[in-house]
Amino acid sequence: MKAVGLTRYLPIDHPDALIDLELPKPLPAGHDILVRVEAVSVNPVDTKVRAPKDKVEDEPRVLGWDAAGVVDAVGPDVTLFAPGDAVYYAGDITRQGSNSEYQLVDERLVAKKPASLDFAAAAALPLTAITAFESLFERLNIDKLGADAGHKLLIIGGAGGVGSLAIQFARLAGLTVIATAGRKESADWCRALGADHVIGRDKPLTEALAELGLKHVDYIFNAADTDAYWAESVAALKPQGKIVAIVDNRGPLAMGEMKAKSASLHWEMMFTRAMFRTDDMIHQHQLLAEVAAWVDAGKVRGTLAETVSPINAANLRAAHAKLESGTMVGKLVLAGW
């Protein structure tokens, strides 16, 4: 089968940073399904895993943790899917990724793709949908049925893939959403997705919120830079409020004011269930099915911004470079082999 991967970790402008490969087609066992991959999306995790380091892989490593495709075969323990099912998923960072014609993935991490979306649009959703869903409804414990309606959520990095879905999920739950955006294009995108307010990056958060008549917010979702916004976030958070972050911190985070406010910090890593094979791993299947239902009901719109064909090393290198430039709004997808 065709695949794109690496053996060395190189800058993205190096021609060997990602290379075209021919690999054996795998066979499913246990709870694995074998998916014929039709489309893949790129995420910051791809560029972080591929980032230059002094390491050489004995066998090619395939990246990619966002895909949509068709079930080709199933393992003997599979009960959720059958060959021919159209599916979408993010998968497991500890296994070979989706940048290959065929991929093995545990059925408990997979759901049938939204019927209203083609494969490219569906591939833009899984990783960011899981991250946004788990962050809001599990880490921050926001009630998705509306019990917390009217509470105020600040999303730092509203125009990115995760922020784009967090805005929509939070609005479904009835929250007032304030999103940060650095450019007019990004601000317009956030408003189109339902953000009640958009604030720039040219002022401290507390000052920008004050201009909206707000002293504090109930929740903060940092999808951009944990360290850079830490002090401002703590100042903007109400007493007993909650922060969720998805980006690793680079240094110690001062906790004095958090303690004074009896506030809490929650980490979100959407690969946790897969990495540790937790007892509730099937929850990712369930939440992806719920998101698909929201999409098909018109409650959530897709975040696909650009599609490139075919899936090959040259196009994936260009996609990684664009993602690393920090100018992406929405999601970039590669479709077809």
Side-chain angles (χ1 to χ4, degrees):
M1 65 177 182
K2 294 179 182 178
V4 178
L6 59 80
T7 55
R8 295 184 293 159
Y9 295 84
L10 301 166
I12 198 57
D13 57 0
H14 194 290
D16 292 335
L18 293 168
I19 55 177
D20 291 306
L21 303 165
E22 286 285 338
L23 298 176
K25 180 180 175 180
L27 297 173
H31 283 281
D32 278 349
I33 59 175
L34 180 66
V35 178
R36 184 180 77 243
V37 175
E38 299 290 344
V40 299
S41 183
V42 292
N43 292 284
V45 64
D46 299 73
T47 63
K48 291 175 183 177
V49 171
R50 196 220 74 248
K53 50 180 153 301
D54 187 18
K55 181 180 180 181
V56 178
E57 299 288 350
D58 294 331
E59 299 291 334
R61 182 174 188 183
V62 176
L63 309 182
W65 295 281
D66 249 348
V70 177
V71 177
D72 184 75
V74 301
D77 300 327
V78 169
T79 61
L80 300 174
F81 302 100
D85 287 341
V87 296
Y88 78 141
Y89 57 91
D92 180 349
I93 198 171
T94 67
R95 305 180 69 178
Q96 292 285 60
S98 54
N99 295 337
S100 58
E101 282 189 285
Y102 294 88
Q103 182 188 10
L104 290 176
V105 60
D106 191 298
E107 64 171 336
R108 292 165 289 189
L109 305 174
V110 180
K112 291 183 179 180
K113 80 169 182 67
S116 58
L117 299 183
D118 61 18
F119 287 108
L125 288 175
L127 184 146
T128 51
I130 294 168
T131 303
F133 191 107
E134 290 183 349
S135 293
L136 294 176
F137 304 132
E138 298 179 24
R139 311 302 173 226
L140 296 180
N141 202 31
I142 294 167
D143 183 73
K144 63 186 176 183
L145 299 179
D148 296 308
H151 288 190
K152 295 169 181 62
L153 168 70
L154 171 64
I155 300 175
I156 300 172
V162 173
S164 296
L165 286 168
I167 289 171
Q168 298 184 76
F169 294 174
R171 292 295 294 129
L172 279 179
L175 271 62
T176 297
V177 177
I178 306 105
T180 71
R183 298 177 298 147
K184 182 181 184 302
E185 179 185 9
S186 302
D188 291 344
W189 175 267
C190 292
R191 291 189 184 95
L193 293 174
D196 296 280
H197 307 283
V198 180
I199 59 178
R201 300 175 183 170
D202 56 333
K203 299 176 182 176
L205 294 177
T206 50
E207 184 177 336
L209 290 171
E211 292 179 357
L212 299 175
L214 301 174
K215 183 177 181 180
H216 294 125
V217 293
D218 302 276
Y219 312 102
I220 296 177
F221 187 169
N222 191 330
D225 188 323
T226 304
D227 295 74
Y229 289 97
W230 179 250
E232 292 182 45
S233 295
V234 175
L237 188 67
K238 69 176 289 188
Q240 303 183 88
K242 299 177 182 179
I243 297 173
V244 65
I246 65 173
V247 180
D248 293 346
N249 58 305
R250 298 179 296 275
L253 301 175
M255 290 290 170
E257 191 174 351
M258 288 286 283
K259 180 175 185 287
K261 288 185 171 182
S262 296
S264 56
L265 167 64
H266 304 261
W267 291 108
E268 163 60 18
M269 172 68 162
M270 57 76 50
F271 290 117
T272 296
R273 287 185 163 103
M275 289 171 64
F276 295 98
R277 305 194 69 78
T278 60
D279 292 340
D280 64 348
M281 194 164 75
I282 197 170
H283 183 65
Q284 288 201 350
H285 159 73
Q286 296 163 343
L287 78 82
L288 283 173
E290 186 165 6
V291 171
W294 287 345
V295 171
D296 288 339
K299 296 179 179 180
V300 170
R301 57 174 275 194
T303 56
L304 172 62
E306 181 180 353
T307 304
V308 177
S309 295
I311 305 169
N312 61 25
N315 283 336
L316 274 166
R317 287 196 300 271
H320 278 229
K322 187 163 187 176
L323 202 60
E324 289 181 345
S325 74
T327 60
M328 275 299 301
V329 174
K331 294 294 294 291
L332 174 59
V333 169
L334 289 84
W337 292 92

